[in-house]
Amino acid sequence: MPFVRNGERVIPGQKLCVIEELTPGKGTYEDENGIVRAAIPGVVRLDLMNYVVEVKGKSADQELPSGKDIVIGYVLGMRDEVAAIKIVKSVHGVLKGMVFTGALHISQASPRGYLNTLYDGYRPGDIVKLKVLSGPPYVLSAKGNRLGVILAHCSNCGAPLYLRKDGNLKCKRCGNTEKRVTSVDYVLRER
């Protein structure tokens, strides 16, 4: 028996049901204990014919990223094997006014082979374009030639880095050269 009724208003994190009762739909997620919870504020919709529970927000602005969505964000912080990414925009127009956090694991960090550490391809503050694999919590991937870093700044002086023809990034202010896992959509290119 679900914890909520059809049409009931809920808040993010509120218990809706257990996974054995109903499948999580839009506006919901399954936590690590098998509890389906609300991901956004809104109204519960129980589809008992298809065994799905959804939460409908006030507007399309509360649409959540889903698998295979392409998102834009920036690297909040990182360790050798995982980076926290603040997702701020979807390429397909969802997320208006909303911000989410995702994780980029080293196994999903490069389409061109293995990195020894995430620092070989990313730095905090880099603007990235990534694909959503699953979530929430959001698991992200840079496996694809249009995915990866789309704008980076110099680790020495903070100036924007320009993509050179050899694939390295160069700072025009201090001359520093750095490497990143760059997207073919990298914003600044050396001429």
Side-chain angles (χ1 to χ4, degrees), residues 12-17 27-31 33 35-39 55:
Q14 187 171 338
K15 290 181 185 179
L16 303 176
C17 63
T28 70
Y29 66 96
E30 178 187 353
D31 72 11
N33 298 316
I35 305 291
V36 179
R37 296 179 179 273
V55 174

Side-chain angles (χ1 to χ4, degrees), residues 40 57-65 93-100:
I40 60 173
K58 289 189 241 177
S59 68
D61 292 349
Q62 292 180 318
E63 197 69 34
L64 295 171
V94 295
L95 314 181
K96 297 173 190 153
M98 299 183 78
V99 177
F100 300 94

